[in-house]
Amino acid sequence: LGVVFLGMLPFLVAVVGPDDTVDLRKVEVDERVGPLWIIAKGLRPGERVVVEGSDRVRTGQKVRTAPAQPRPS
């Protein structure tokens, strides 16, 4: 799963709006905890983000959403 676009500066996250369209948004990342990044700025609680196929979406694109599956422990 990839939420943060790696290798790109600034770091980008694909945020899904209420109308199911994508907005590529700049975020500030903090430290990394295992495979997960801590987002310091740029996202609000409750916002939906693309977690699968984020490398293939573009700003303004309509997407079909589904709840994310939890990672196995």
Side-chain angles (χ1 to χ4, degrees):
L1 300 176
V3 174
V4 176
F5 287 92
L6 300 174
M8 301 176 86
L9 289 177
F11 290 102
L12 300 173
V13 171
V15 179
V16 181
D19 60 352
D20 293 333
T21 59
V22 172
D23 177 35
L24 293 180
R25 188 181 302 166
K26 296 177 189 178
V27 295
E28 289 183 26
V29 296
D30 199 355
E31 61 186 85
R32 191 171 177 172
V33 179
L36 306 174
W37 289 93
I38 296 176
I39 305 295
K41 291 183 182 177
L43 289 178
R44 292 182 294 278
E47 286 190 303
R48 299 180 299 163
V49 297
V50 174
V51 295
E52 203 169 307
S54 58
D55 58 330
R56 297 186 303 272
V57 296
R58 302 288 175 254
T59 295
Q61 180 179 346
K62 284 270 194 188
V63 293
R64 189 175 50 216
T65 62
Q69 299 302 313
R71 289 178 174 235
S73 311

